Amino acid sequence: MAFQPVKFYQTGTFTVGNRLLDEQQRSVQAQEERSNSLNSGHRACQGCGEALGARYAIDAAMHATGNQLIAANATGCLEVFSTPYPESSWQIPWIHSLFGNAAAVASGIAAALRVKGRGEVRVIAQGGDGGTTDIGFGCLSGMFERNDDVLYICYDNEAYMNTGVQRSSATPPAARTATTMAVGAQPGNVFGQGKNVPAIAMAHDIPYVATATVAELHDLEYKVKKAMGFHGARYIHVFVPCPLGWGAASQDTIKLARLAKETGLFPVFEAEHGEVTSVSKIRRPIPVEEYLRPQKRFAHLFGQEPAAEVIARLQTIADRNIKKFGLLDAAA
Amino acid sequence: MLKQIEGSHGVAEAVALARPEVICAYPISPQTHIVEALGEMVKTGALSPCEFINVESEFAAMSVAIGASAAGARTYTATASQGLLFMVEAVYNAAGLGLPIVMTVANRAIGAPINIWNDHTDAMSQRDCGWIQLFAETNQEALDLHIQAFRLAEELSLPVMVCMDGFILTHAYERMDVPEQALVDAYLPPYEPRQVLDPREPVSIGAMVGPEAFTEVRYLAHAKQMSAIERIPQLAQEFRAVFGRDSGGLVRGYRLEDAETVVVALGSVLGTIKDTVDELRDRGVKIGVLGITSFRPFPLAAVRAALAGAKRFVVLEKSLAVGIGGIVATNVRLALDGLALKGYTIVAGLGGRAITRASLHRVFGEAIADRLEAVHFLDLQRERVARVLEREEAVRRSGPIAEGILKDLGTVASRIG
Amino acid sequence: MDKPFAITLDPNSSLANRTGSWRTKRPVYLDRLPPCNHACPAGENIQGWLYHAESGEYEAAWRVLTRDNPLPAVMGRVCYHPCEGACNRGKLDQAVGINAVERFLGDEAIRRGWLFERPSQASGKRVLVVGAGPSGLSAAYHLARRGHEVSIFEAGPFAGGMMRFGIPKYRLPRDVLDAEVQRILDLGVELRLNCKVSNILETMGEGGFDAAFLAVGAHIAKRAFIPAGDSARILDAVAVLRSMEGEDQPMLGRRVVVYGGGNTAIDVARTAKRLGATEAIIVYRRTRDKMPAHDFEVEEALQEGVMVKWLSTIKQASNGGTLTIEKMALDQHGQPVPTGEFETLEADSLVLALGQDVDLSLLDGVPGLVIEKGVVKVNAQMMTGYAGIFAGGDMVPSERTVTVAVGHGKKAANNIDAWLRGETYEAPPKHELATYEQLNPWYYADAPKMVRPMLDLIRRQSSFDEVQGGLDESTALFEARRCLSCGNCFECDNCYGVCPDNAVIKLGPGRRFRFNLDYCKGCGICVAECPCGAISMIAETT
Ligand SMILES: Cc1cc2nc3c(=O)[nH]c(=O)nc-3n(C[C@H](O)[C@H](O)[C@H](O)COP(=O)(O)OP(=O)(O)OC[C@H]3O[C@@H](n4cnc5c(N)ncnc54)[C@H](O)[C@@H]3O)c2cc1C
Ligand SMILES: Cc1ncc(C[n+]2csc(CCOP(=O)(O)OP(=O)(O)O)c2C)c(N)n1
Ligand code: SF4
Ligand SMILES: [Mg+2]
């Protein structure tokens, strides 16, 4: 069954907690005794969406498994900012091996746990978009195809951030990165490329695939919890703005995630065994421009003469998502 | 129990006797028969409990092994050649993380040009990766070394590569003594991981280490591997005590007494060399053989001790460090620092080229007469390469050397016997 | 476990890395002044009591409410709720129905018999309150709660002032008014009815009062000069409405014309309708949008069949009951100017609703008073020019509403209390206003305003039953929960949740949060994502 938002208690399900709700209806993040799996002292940039997304997701998984969790982490910002010698921010058993093998390492952990009869301990693999959609894609697909008992979480900040913001196959069209500079006839990233990994994950017919953003905590936690209810390969793709890489204000991280979803640029949905089972509807429809404008990586679209045509193409992408996933209620 | 079986099967049985808990398999000749056999044992339940995982690449194979090992499972995989290179990043990583994975490398050449036959280039490419590398001379030794390898790996918390010559050993049917499970159990205690991923005691494995501690980390890796120099002979001794056989150790000498010339080699070619040496000894030539079992760590002292009394050494190796010559030879030279021995490198058996006693007689003779060039390519077809070199000299053109040779020879001629 | 050097780390060891040193700005929690509170003439802590109402803690809500205003059931009916006009939710969808919730709480208190806490100590001071209107009642209440002995001298036969003698029953049922007055009296306040004070200094002296609060209201009807025949039946609105409280209902006839454009005119016209008038016509010299009466009241009157002649003045009332009406036009400044066009209107009675003046006779001979435009001037402490005599409500210069009167009563009580102790009252400093721009409205659930039920039209035209109903428990609760809690933490846990550095410490229910500045990097997400604007960023100085 799809996520049921709490109808109305001043803020409904929109805020992290809500003093008017039962404890069980509040988010994991609202709990005083949440696990803080990724704890203070990490070296993520101010306002890092990935740091936030990782804590949201892993805490939720910890909650769902009664703290019986092991995580394998791909190289990337999350790994670098959380475990520079001599300090680790993790409170869970955690391993970093390589950039491209998190899914396989996790498969190995799951195999070890199975053979040792410790099925109660669950395994998560996690990485950035680069580590997931590009270099780790083979291992990811292998893990999916074998239906290994692993939940893979991709923290998508739409570029290789740790190496200084280079294009990945998750970088959106028109975005400026260090390898798709805003110069030439078609400034920024090209149109028509990129890889839709949630769709590819679904094509593997794995039990559970979902997308989520750091702006909708209850939805994210619901999906992690739901994913932990399945055995076999599962995939959650979390949209996590990167203030540094996107040239956005550090306080706008959640706002941008919200706008990405509300514009339709990032469709939020879940799928079981290859079929979409629910979508997160747009609540306040807005044009893509509102999402693009606060980000320097799109600044070239808003120069003296706004690149109306490019913005329109991006709007088309959003509109197509809206249509494809039915993101708008008839009423809205 | 004595069995007439294929080398690969013998090794598979040895691995099974070691009770591995996770096996990752990705096919590449000539490793296939080993993992196939293991897969079957897991499927029949003969090997249990064990997870046999058909991964999607060697990179994944080693990565799955890393995860399994870090989570406390005794872990095994096997590969060769291109496969070993495809997993390199993870190979280094397993060593860096100190995970006691055991891997068979069914030694095979590396392309281009692609070639499935035996030489040592694959293993040699990984000599600095931090794994212990043991080379088997016979199928029996390959079997025995796997049992020792798990013990060594787990005691030191380091991965161990057992190298056996592709086809020559892996596909050869021989009589092998497959030990009883009870004996193996007596020799190899259950795996007690040094560090383990476990919610009961969380740790963060695989930190990023900067200049402030990286040298120390590497030093410690070196020191740990060097400590195996002491441990490897002890384990071989213990092995003999339990199984009644000599297997393993650092080096093994053959007819070294009063030898003026010592041939140094690794792997199955030692058999042919020993036969040749026997014939030379019969003719009164003072020649002996030093087989190196442990290539990493490299037993500098043992090699030095074995060669100190000789006049010259001849390293016959199935690998080539392009641009300098021998790999094993370079290591041997280091062991002999300050000693006045003449040294010859014979690069032999590349890509499966047969090493015949006749050829060995010829080169050893030249070496003894000190007429051998410093780096000699055994049975090199000189006219062929001369033609290419000549043309190269005349027309500097780009493109792979191999292609040039094939053009000259025609594709049929390229099937070298 | 034997951990390899440097490669394997202890969990949670990053706590040694105090990332707070990165910060150039720091977040601080603050309380901003909600616009509703700001707009409330009675100084109610509206958001404060809504907070409790949201949790279903109605008594706690009522107690917070009555800290400032002792008449919630009355307020929930007659207050013009400027709070709702200022409510930030009005910019989102519709303002919170504060007035409706207030009424619910007031009615709930009456139903459940909640009483005020009596003061624990008596001050030994005696204060005279003149007039039992809202201002006088409010002052008496606040003074009594501070332990002073209070006597109210009221000229009329009932307490309530204009709430009784002006506002019709169909808007404010008398049992509601009585209950709330009684609750004040239960605090030990003495009420002397039919006790008109004619000389304030004398009365104070006789009664041994240490201070007095005057709240005599404005009861003298203003008259316009209308040439009229002797038998023309001309009445004034206040008198008509006042007589509704007596035994005999006023005789207005079948065709009633009301002259004026304020709420009083509307009340009289609607009363006339209920008394059986077939026609109740308001004559007003300007247009609807210029009318001082509140639009909703005009609307309700029109629904009930009251008619309005816009842009009209009454020139003459003849004996036969014929009124001469002159049509007006608006000039470019919006002022009505005569057109010289006339028409006539038949009327059994003409009721003048042109405003009221204050009867200041009780102040004759008091030295130091300043009277301007017929009202008594007071200083910032609500004190008249004569030390110890304070005044408020309709008799001082200000807007004339029940709520303003209640606010004056409270303010005066604070000052009288201080004055009695030889001190000057210092109002606590006001927080900065919480603006809509400081909110993050995304977080509030979509919630349409709950509407209060209205009596059916037939009964509205024929009876004095209350026109507007109240919310029930569920709708009142819903409405309370529409509050955005502007500028004040309502413990939604957002800051605690959205901090990427876990630098917010949750202190537990009712205790809000604290920043852990050891780790706060100053990203500002908590500020941006605080729904209610209760956090702000300030520059780090060191
Ligand atoms: C018809 C009408 C409808 C109204 N409707 C609303 C409404 O819906 N909402 C709203 O907010 N406001 C309304 N008002 C205005 C509101 O009623 C007044 O502003 C408010 O009542 C003023 O309160 P007060 O205490 O100053 O005076 P009052 O309410 O006028 O009370 C003064 C009291 O003092 C008594 N008194 C006078 N002189 C003496 C004396 N010498 N000795 C002893 N006692 C004396 C009087 O008898 C009276 O009881 C309305 C007014 C009218 C006339
Ligand atoms: C095999 C390999 N190639 C390249 C790198 C360099 N590298 C490290 S992190 C990184 C970028 C990571 O990007 P992403 O996965 O999107 O994570 P992010 O840092 O954006 O969170 C790259 C390219 C590497 N460590 N290993
Ligand atoms: S570069 Fe981006 S993803 Fe990396 S730590 Fe900074 S904000 Fe987070
Ligand atoms: Mg990225």
Side-chain angles (χ1 to χ4, degrees):
Chain A
M1 203 186 49
F3 172 55
Q4 291 291 317
V6 172
K7 272 282 182 280
F8 178 67
Y9 283 99
Q10 185 166 29
T11 55
T13 38
F14 297 106
T15 48
V16 169
N18 189 329
R19 66 186 181 93
L20 302 172
L21 291 177
D22 292 345
E23 291 273 357
Q24 305 90 288
Q25 282 183 286
R26 301 183 203 175
S27 70
V28 173
Q29 286 303 310
Q31 326 276 307
E32 248 172 281
E33 61 286 0
R34 73 181 184 211
S35 50
N36 280 336
S37 310
L38 177 68
N39 210 355
S40 309
H42 62 68
R43 290 155 200 246
C45 301
Q46 291 156 320
C48 173
E50 190 165 75
L52 190 58
R55 194 191 72 227
Y56 280 0
I58 303 299
D59 278 3
M62 285 285 273
H63 190 73
T65 59
N67 301 341
Q68 298 300 300
L69 202 68
I70 297 175
N73 209 126
T75 311
C77 275
L78 178 59
E79 165 264 325
V80 168
F81 71 61
S82 67
T83 53
Y85 165 80
E87 294 148 3
S88 168
S89 308
W90 295 100
Q91 305 216 58
I92 56 166
W94 178 95
I95 185 170
H96 160 244
S97 172
L98 297 169
F99 189 17
N101 71 352
V105 171
S107 290
I109 297 168
L113 293 168
R114 200 160 49 236
V115 78
K116 290 186 167 296
R118 296 198 59 193
E120 80 284 1
V121 182
R122 307 298 301 279
V123 186
I124 282 184
Q126 53 183 356
D129 49 297
T132 305
T133 71
D134 290 338
I135 198 167
F137 189 65
C139 287
L140 181 69
S141 174
M143 185 277 278
F144 285 165
E145 166 275 321
R146 291 186 301 270
N147 203 23
D148 289 337
D149 191 15
V150 172
L151 167 61
Y152 191 102
I153 304 176
C154 169
Y155 303 106
D156 180 6
N157 53 22
E158 303 195 321
Y160 293 104
M161 295 311 174
N162 190 49
T163 35
V165 197
Q166 295 85 10
R167 176 200 185 273
S168 80
S169 62
T171 301
R176 179 207 66 192
T177 69
T179 50
T180 57
M181 292 304 275
V183 294
Q186 289 179 317
N189 193 22
V190 286
F191 271 83
Q193 295 187 29
K195 202 185 289 179
N196 185 345
V197 172
I200 298 171
M202 285 166 63
H204 287 77
D205 270 4
I206 57 175
Y208 190 67
V209 173
T211 63
T213 78
V214 282
E216 274 173 283
L217 173 64
H218 289 262
D219 176 71
L220 170 58
E221 288 187 349
Y222 153 81
K223 285 168 177 169
V224 172
K225 183 176 175 197
K226 181 152 182 191
M228 293 326 271
F230 288 95
H231 281 270
R234 291 140 289 146
Y235 180 73
I236 299 183
H237 191 103
V238 187
F239 188 85
V240 292
C242 164
L244 185 87
W246 296 9
S250 62
Q251 74 268 20
D252 282 349
T253 296
I254 290 181
K255 176 177 121 180
L256 289 174
R258 186 157 54 231
L259 293 177
K261 184 229 154 193
E262 292 295 285
T263 51
L265 281 174
F266 185 81
V268 176
F269 64 93
E270 57 178 340
E272 290 174 39
H273 301 288
E275 302 290 336
V276 173
T277 53
S278 83
V279 301
S280 187
K281 300 276 183 186
I282 289 171
R283 186 168 164 234
R284 310 244 185 275
I286 36 163
V288 295
E289 190 174 329
E290 225 172 288
Y291 165 71
L292 303 172
R293 215 177 249 285
Q295 306 180 46
K296 289 207 187 74
R297 64 176 173 157
F298 295 113
H300 55 278
L301 303 182
F302 302 99
Q304 297 281 48
E305 246 172 70
E309 205 181 307
V310 180
I311 298 168
R313 283 183 82 177
L314 290 164
Q315 184 64 54
T316 310
I317 294 174
D319 293 344
R320 211 172 50 214
N321 284 337
I322 290 171
K323 197 157 161 238
K324 180 170 164 199
F325 288 95
L327 298 178
L328 276 180
D329 263 333
Chain B
M1 204 207 313
L2 289 176
K3 291 183 179 177
Q4 181 73 27
I5 48 174
E6 193 196 35
S8 292
H9 275 89
V11 165
E13 293 213 23
V15 169
L17 287 167
R19 302 185 186 276
E21 294 168 300
V22 175
I23 296 171
C24 324
Y26 192 83
I28 181 165
S29 298
Q31 150 269 29
T32 43
H33 293 180
I34 302 173
V35 291
E36 286 163 9
L38 283 164
E40 193 178 339
M41 284 185 242
V42 173
K43 272 214 124 177
T44 61
L47 173 50
S48 172
C50 181
E51 291 287 326
F52 184 85
I53 305 173
N54 286 299
V55 290
E56 73 282 357
S57 73
E58 286 85 359
F59 177 68
M62 185 48 64
S63 299
V64 169
I66 287 168
S69 182
R74 181 171 285 164
T75 305
Y76 171 81
T77 188
T79 190
S81 180
Q82 313 300 134
L84 181 62
L85 262 62
F86 198 72
M87 67 164 67
V88 166
E89 198 194 5
V91 169
Y92 272 73
N93 190 252
L97 295 178
L99 299 172
I101 299 161
V102 171
M103 171 165 69
T104 309
V105 175
N107 298 114
R108 169 183 151 180
I110 280 174
I114 193 160
N115 173 301
I116 66 165
W117 307 106
N118 168 248
D119 70 29
H120 289 172
T121 311
D122 52 4
M124 286 301 155
S125 76
Q126 295 309 297
R127 64 187 180 274
D128 301 329
C129 72
W131 284 55
I132 288 172
Q133 290 182 313
L134 305 177
F135 280 79
E137 182 179 337
T138 64
N139 276 346
Q140 184 66 54
E141 190 171 46
L143 186 157
D144 295 345
L145 281 180
H146 278 89
I147 294 168
Q148 293 184 26
F150 280 106
R151 173 110 182 251
L152 179 64
E154 290 166 15
E155 276 190 12
L156 296 180
S157 207
L158 271 185
V160 176
M161 208 181 275
V162 180
C163 304
M164 63 190 291
D165 286 313
F167 294 110
I168 298 169
L169 293 182
T170 57
H171 287 57
Y173 277 74
E174 275 175 39
R175 198 181 68 172
M176 291 165 82
D177 186 355
V178 181
E180 295 301 315
Q181 182 69 59
L183 287 185
V184 176
D185 289 347
Y187 181 77
L188 177 64
Y191 173 35
E192 267 186 46
R194 194 166 290 194
Q195 54 171 350
V196 66
L197 293 166
D198 190 336
R200 287 178 289 216
E201 194 187 345
V203 285
S204 305
I205 299 177
M208 181 182 73
V209 179
E212 73 280 15
F214 199 78
T215 305
E216 288 68 26
V217 169
R218 301 310 296 159
Y219 177 84
L220 290 168
H222 179 62
K224 188 152 84 166
Q225 203 181 76
M226 292 312 278
S227 74
I229 299 239
E230 210 175 306
R231 202 61 196 124
I232 289 170
Q234 291 166 354
L235 290 178
Q237 286 259 304
E238 285 180 38
F239 187 85
R240 175 170 351 114
V242 176
F243 299 93
R245 271 201 298 281
D246 274 326
S247 260
L250 296 170
V251 295
R252 199 167 316 122
Y254 181 75
R255 304 191 84 164
L256 282 178
E257 64 288 349
D258 73 8
E260 290 174 358
T261 303
V262 179
V263 182
V264 184
L266 288 70
S268 62
V269 73
L270 282 165
T272 319
I273 293 171
K274 283 177 185 170
D275 288 349
T276 312
V277 164
D278 284 343
E279 286 163 10
L280 287 169
R281 278 280 182 180
D282 290 349
R283 287 185 224 153
V285 180
K286 291 181 177 172
I287 187 166
V289 185
L290 184 71
I292 296 179
T293 310
S294 168
F295 185 65
R296 283 292 181 272
F298 191 76
L300 290 169
V303 171
R304 187 182 178 92
L307 298 187
K311 289 188 176 151
R312 70 184 66 76
F313 66 91
V314 177
V315 175
L316 185 135
E317 57 180 297
K318 292 184 174 180
S319 54
L320 168 66
V322 176
I324 175 164
I327 298 170
V328 183
T330 311
N331 285 255
V332 171
R333 278 202 184 278
L334 192 63
L336 303 178
D337 186 32
L339 297 182
L341 265 76
K342 268 199 150 315
Y344 301 97
T345 305
I346 298 171
V347 176
L350 294 186
R353 172 78 52 97
I355 299 172
T356 62
R357 272 190 310 215
S359 300
L360 291 182
H361 274 296
R362 180 171 47 75
V363 284
F364 291 168
E366 283 178 24
I368 291 162
D370 286 328
R371 284 200 314 261
L372 196 64
E373 56 202 317
V375 179
H376 179 81
F377 286 73
L378 190 69
D379 298 336
L380 179 71
Q381 298 172 19
R382 293 190 181 271
E383 348 54 84
R384 286 183 174 179
V385 295
R387 270 209 300 278
V388 177
L389 291 173
E390 256 169 51
R391 198 185 48 237
E392 290 275 316
E393 194 69 32
V395 210
R396 297 241 169 256
R397 69 167 183 218
S398 64
I401 300 171
E403 209 174 279
I405 292 180
L406 293 183
K407 271 198 186 114
D408 288 338
L409 299 180
T411 39
V412 179
S414 73
R415 275 204 226 111
I416 298 160
Chain C
M1 199 181 299
D2 177 9
K3 295 185 204 83
F5 169 70
I7 299 162
T8 300
L9 305 175
D10 287 326
N12 218 15
S13 41
S14 67
L15 290 181
N17 183 32
R18 306 291 164 105
T19 52
S21 60
W22 302 12
R23 207 172 47 235
T24 56
K25 284 189 209 158
R26 72 164 66 183
V28 286
Y29 288 109
L30 72 170
D31 286 293
R32 290 190 165 112
L33 178 62
C36 50
N37 292 17
H38 183 61
C40 178
E44 282 184 28
N45 182 3
I46 295 168
Q47 190 193 78
W49 56 257
L50 281 172
Y51 180 87
H52 293 290
E54 284 152 23
S55 342
E57 292 164 8
Y58 303 123
E59 184 170 348
W62 180 81
R63 296 215 174 268
V64 172
L65 196 172
T66 53
R67 247 182 246 159
D68 298 298
N69 189 333
L71 304 169
V74 170
M75 300 311 307
R77 292 172 165 86
V78 306
C79 179
Y80 296 124
H81 44 74
C83 51
E84 293 187 24
C87 173
N88 277 331
R89 181 138 202 157
K91 300 194 179 74
L92 189 61
D93 44 23
Q94 278 173 291
V96 175
I98 297 167
N99 188 250
V101 180
E102 183 167 21
R103 168 168 166 174
F104 170 78
L105 293 175
D107 289 355
E108 196 70 3
I110 294 171
R111 202 164 67 83
R112 295 180 185 266
W114 296 333
L115 294 176
F116 298 131
E117 267 171 56
R118 281 169 160 265
S120 50
Q121 270 191 321
S123 69
K125 302 283 186 191
R126 285 171 55 74
V127 184
L128 171 67
V129 172
V130 184
S135 206
L137 288 167
S138 164
Y141 163 78
H142 286 288
L143 287 164
R145 292 200 75 171
R146 283 174 175 73
H148 305 301
E149 195 183 326
V150 185
S151 297
I152 308 176
F153 288 11
E154 164 58 48
F158 303 106
M162 276 303 184
M163 298 187 293
R164 183 178 299 270
F165 302 124
I167 301 172
K169 290 191 187 89
Y170 62 84
R171 292 209 284 127
L172 176 58
R174 296 312 186 232
D175 54 339
V176 172
L177 177 59
D178 290 342
E180 294 208 316
V181 170
Q182 188 56 47
R183 198 193 285 122
I184 295 171
L185 299 182
D186 288 347
L187 276 172
V189 171
E190 183 200 13
L191 171 65
R192 286 199 212 167
L193 297 172
N194 303 309
C195 178
K196 179 167 177 159
V197 174
S198 48
N199 182 323
I200 182 62
L201 292 179
E202 221 175 83
T203 308
M204 281 179 76
E206 280 166 11
F209 292 103
D210 300 296
F213 177 63
L214 310 184
V216 297
H219 289 245
I220 305 171
K222 284 187 182 157
R223 301 210 60 132
F225 176 71
I226 299 171
D230 301 335
S231 65
R233 193 166 158 68
I234 301 183
L235 306 152
D236 77 68
V238 200
V240 169
L241 292 170
R242 187 185 188 93
S243 66
M244 291 295 299
E245 286 302 300
E247 296 287 295
D248 306 311
Q249 293 190 333
M251 302 297 291
L252 297 175
R254 302 184 64 74
R255 295 157 62 91
V256 183
V257 171
V258 181
Y259 193 26
N263 292 317
T264 307
I266 307 273
D267 279 342
V268 174
R270 291 175 76 184
T271 298
K273 221 37 201 154
R274 282 167 172 75
L275 289 173
T278 44
E279 277 177 29
I281 304 168
I282 293 172
V283 175
Y284 177 55
R285 61 203 178 103
R286 290 193 277 192
T287 50
R288 179 163 176 179
D289 52 311
K290 295 269 181 339
M291 208 178 196
H294 290 87
D295 200 58
F296 73 90
E297 286 189 284
V298 178
E299 192 54 43
E300 286 176 16
L302 293 174
Q303 285 165 5
E304 289 165 11
V306 170
M307 291 176 288
V308 188
K309 277 196 122 16
W310 306 107
L311 289 167
S312 306
T313 53
I314 300 177
K315 281 281 143 196
Q316 196 176 346
S318 66
N319 278 340
T322 305
L323 304 177
T324 308
I325 308 284
E326 179 173 9
K327 297 300 291 172
M328 307 293 279
L330 294 183
D331 66 12
Q332 70 260 46
H333 309 292
Q335 291 301 324
V337 287
T339 58
E341 237 181 85
F342 295 91
E343 61 183 27
T344 57
L345 198 62
E346 297 305 317
D348 294 332
S349 56
L350 167 63
V351 184
L352 303 181
L354 303 167
Q356 293 90 240
D357 289 325
V358 184
D359 178 358
L360 294 169
S361 57
L362 81 167
L363 292 172
D364 286 348
V366 178
L369 293 188
V370 183
I371 295 178
E372 256 178 37
K373 295 186 185 157
V375 288
V376 180
K377 277 192 88 170
V378 287
N379 65 10
Q381 281 73 44
M382 306 298 292
M383 193 158 78
T384 65
Y386 186 90
I389 297 184
F390 297 73
D394 282 2
M395 68 177 291
V396 304
S398 98
E399 206 188 333
R400 288 180 175 177
T401 69
V402 173
T403 324
V404 167
V406 167
H408 284 176
K410 171 179 132 184
K411 189 172 172 193
N414 285 334
N415 284 293
I416 291 168
D417 176 60
W419 187 81
L420 288 173
R421 282 183 277 109
E423 294 165 9
T424 312
Y425 174 73
E426 292 278 358
K430 285 209 165 142
H431 295 132
E432 68 174 86
L433 196 62
T435 63
Y436 184 74
E437 290 63 41
Q438 288 157 344
L439 309 181
N440 189 334
W442 166 264
Y443 288 102
Y444 298 102
D446 305 301
K449 186 172 185 154
M450 294 287 104
V451 284
R452 289 186 258 192
M454 297 290 268
L455 195 67
D456 64 83
L457 249 186
I458 304 296
R459 288 180 51 215
R460 273 165 65 180
Q461 287 164 332
S462 57
S463 80
F464 282 85
D465 291 353
E466 189 169 16
V467 170
Q468 190 169 44
L471 299 180
D472 62 17
E473 221 243 81
S474 70
T475 48
L477 183 67
F478 185 95
E479 196 55 35
R481 287 174 171 182
R482 294 183 67 240
C483 170
L484 310 180
S485 193
C486 306
N488 292 273
C489 175
F490 61 107
E491 296 185 30
C492 72
D493 293 327
N494 254 19
C495 52
Y496 177 62
V498 301
C499 176
D501 296 288
N502 307 349
V504 176
I505 298 167
K506 182 169 172 170
L507 299 173
R511 295 161 58 202
R512 297 185 170 183
F513 308 87
R514 191 162 62 74
F515 288 112
N516 185 345
L517 294 173
D518 282 348
Y519 301 109
C520 166
K521 293 171 185 162
C523 68
I525 296 184
C526 54
V527 178
E529 302 305 321
C530 175
C532 66
I535 315 176
S536 111
M537 286 310 265
I538 59 168
E540 278 298 341
T541 43
T542 47

